Each structure stands twice: as structure tokens, then as C-alpha cells.
Amino acid sequence: MLTDIHPKLPMRDMEATVTFYADRLGFSVTGRYTEYLILRKDAVELHFFSFPGLDPENNYGQVYIRVQDIDSWYTRVQSQVSIHPNAPLQQKPWGLKEFAILDPDNNLLTFGSLC
């Protein structure tokens, strides 16, 4: 039986990743190793592996995160980071309200909520 999922995303610079997720999005660092980082917020845990040679323009890392009260989360996030220009908060035809951001390594984080 499956119980959880913890996506593993590439990062070029651990400090930049911590600054983005912890300082701007409110995640906590729960594991920090030479080439590996674990961050957590509420029930969401993201893992990052060191990839210093990553070309962000060719990174297709993506995570979809379900959110309660997407309007409040959107307000909080947009005051801290840039919203993806092609993915502002909007109602989708598949019944979810979503928006997206890019982290410093171009990992796409899409946040969504049932409406």
C-alpha cells in the first residue's frame, strides 16, 4: 500500500534553495547533508539532490502540490516570489483552481485546490 510521495528535485546551490523555500515559502529544513536537502511544510516534504552542472533552461522538474485555501496561499506566495507568467491563479476546466511558480533551478511548482 502506498502512503506518501516525496519528490526529488535537482538543485545547483543548496543555500539558494534554502533561501527560496525556507525564507520565502515557509518550509523548514529537516535534513541537510553534503549533497542532499530535505524540506518540509505541513504534510509536504520535498527532497533535493545536488546537481551543480544543471542548466536551468533545460530542467523539467515539476511538482503538483494540493493546497487548502488556495486564495490565501496565493496571496502569501505572490508577496514573496514571482508567479509564473503563464500560470496565474485561475480556475481550470478540470475543476481545480491553480497557479505556478519556478524555483531558482526552474523546477515548476504548481499549487492547486478543488473548488
Side-chain angles (χ1 to χ4, degrees):
M1 176 182 233
L2 304 177
T3 61
D4 285 310
I5 186 168
H6 304 293
K8 292 171 65 173
L9 299 169
M11 68 176 166
R12 291 173 295 162
D13 179 305
M14 189 176 296
E15 291 309 315
T17 302
V18 169
T19 296
F20 183 84
Y21 285 90
D23 297 349
R24 295 186 180 175
L25 298 180
F27 280 73
S28 297
V29 176
T30 60
R32 187 179 193 138
Y33 310 92
T34 305
E35 296 187 358
Y36 203 80
L37 177 66
I38 302 170
L39 299 166
R40 185 173 190 86
K41 179 166 180 56
D42 304 322
V44 173
E45 187 172 283
L46 301 176
H47 293 217
F48 295 86
F49 60 93
S50 180
F51 190 165
L54 176 70
D55 175 4
E57 297 302 314
N58 290 312
N59 179 17
Y60 300 101
Q62 299 184 32
V63 178
Y64 192 99
I65 301 171
R66 288 283 176 99
V67 179
Q68 291 180 352
D69 193 2
I70 189 104
D71 295 306
S72 293
W73 180 242
Y74 181 73
T75 299
R76 182 179 188 281
V77 169
Q78 75 175 0
S79 71
Q80 298 296 316
V81 301
S82 297
I83 302 301
H84 192 289
N86 297 325
L89 184 63
Q90 55 189 306
Q91 181 70 41
K92 297 294 188 175
W94 45 89
L96 296 168
K97 195 171 187 180
E98 302 176 350
F99 73 94
I101 61 175
L102 292 169
D103 78 2
D105 297 301
N106 255 10
N107 291 304
L108 181 70
L109 296 132
T110 302
F111 299 96
S113 180
L114 291 170
C115 295

